[in-house]
């Protein structure tokens, strides 16, 4: 009887904690680590519409803050890696845009995503990078713009 009571009390505690935030955060039934959930809640207290995805390499929370959709990334140990968000192509540095126009003639700039890295766990990574989707009639590529506004090929998409 005592074990049943403890089991029910533990389940009730988890249920209360799950609904205490007003239902605005959810791990979507995935196995998000406690450390990632706790860190996310502390770092993004105003986040709404939170959806978690866990892969074999990363834990990812997609959410909205002040009307802007963002994604936060955590490694499997729960350490914060950084955030991404879509930005207007006007956010691309002028030098980089000129280099894109020279090196990728005939390509149109599509989606632009800015990545803000957590340099405290890896100081070798650049704090800010832009990823730009470039398309023409036959190909689609993803390039990375470095902090110094240099263009690097990142990935062939199509």
């Amino acid at each position: 009887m005592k074990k049943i009571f403890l089991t029910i009390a533990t389940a009730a505690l988890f249920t209360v904690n799950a609904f205490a935030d007003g239902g605005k955060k959810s791990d979507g039934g995935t196995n998000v680590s406690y450390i990632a959930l706790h860190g996310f809640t502390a770092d993004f207290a105003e986040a709404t519409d939170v959806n978690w995805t866990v892969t074999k390499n990363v834990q990812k929370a997609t959410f909205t803050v002040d009307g802007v959709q963002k994604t936060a990334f955590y490694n499997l140990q729960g350490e914060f890696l950084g955030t991404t968000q879509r930005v207007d192509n006007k956010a691309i540095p002028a030098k980089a845009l000129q280099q894109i126009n020279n090196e990728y003639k005939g390509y149109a700039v599509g989606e632009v995503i800015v990545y803000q890295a957590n340099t405290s766990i890896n100081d070798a990574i650049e704090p800010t990078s832009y990823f730009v989707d470039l398309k023409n009639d036959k190909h689609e590529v993803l390039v990375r713009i470095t902090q110094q506004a240099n263009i690097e090929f990142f990935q062939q998409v199509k």
Side-chain angles (χ1 to χ4, degrees), residues 9-71:
T10 303
L13 178 64
F14 283 119
T15 303
V16 168
N17 285 336
F19 291 101
D21 64 4
K24 66 180 183 178
K25 296 179 183 76
S26 168
D27 73 359
T30 59
N31 293 320
V32 179
S33 73
Y34 171 79
I35 295 170
L37 282 171
H38 180 70
F40 178 84
T41 301
D43 292 340
F44 303 101
E46 301 300 316
T48 59
D49 304 321
V50 180
N51 291 302
W52 285 92
T53 305
V54 178
T55 67
K56 64 180 183 172
N57 299 319
V58 73
Q59 301 175 91
K60 175 176 81 168
T62 304
F63 59 99
T64 304
V65 172
D66 297 328
V68 177
Q69 187 171 13
K70 297 184 177 193
T71 303

Side-chain angles (χ1 to χ4, degrees), residues 82-115:
T83 60
T84 61
Q85 75 180 61
R86 289 186 178 115
V87 294
D88 190 78
N89 62 4
K90 294 175 186 172
I92 300 171
K95 175 186 171 189
L97 194 53
Q98 184 177 9
Q99 190 177 353
I100 287 172
N101 290 334
N102 292 337
E103 293 181 23
Y104 293 92
K105 287 186 191 300
Y107 283 80
V109 173
E111 188 174 52
V112 179
I113 296 175
V114 63
Y115 177 65

Side-chain angles (χ1 to χ4, degrees), residues 33-37 39 59 74-81:
S33 73
Y34 171 79
I35 295 170
L37 282 171
Q59 301 175 91
Y74 295 82
N75 63 20
L76 296 180
Q77 292 74 40
E79 295 173 310
F80 175 63
L81 300 174

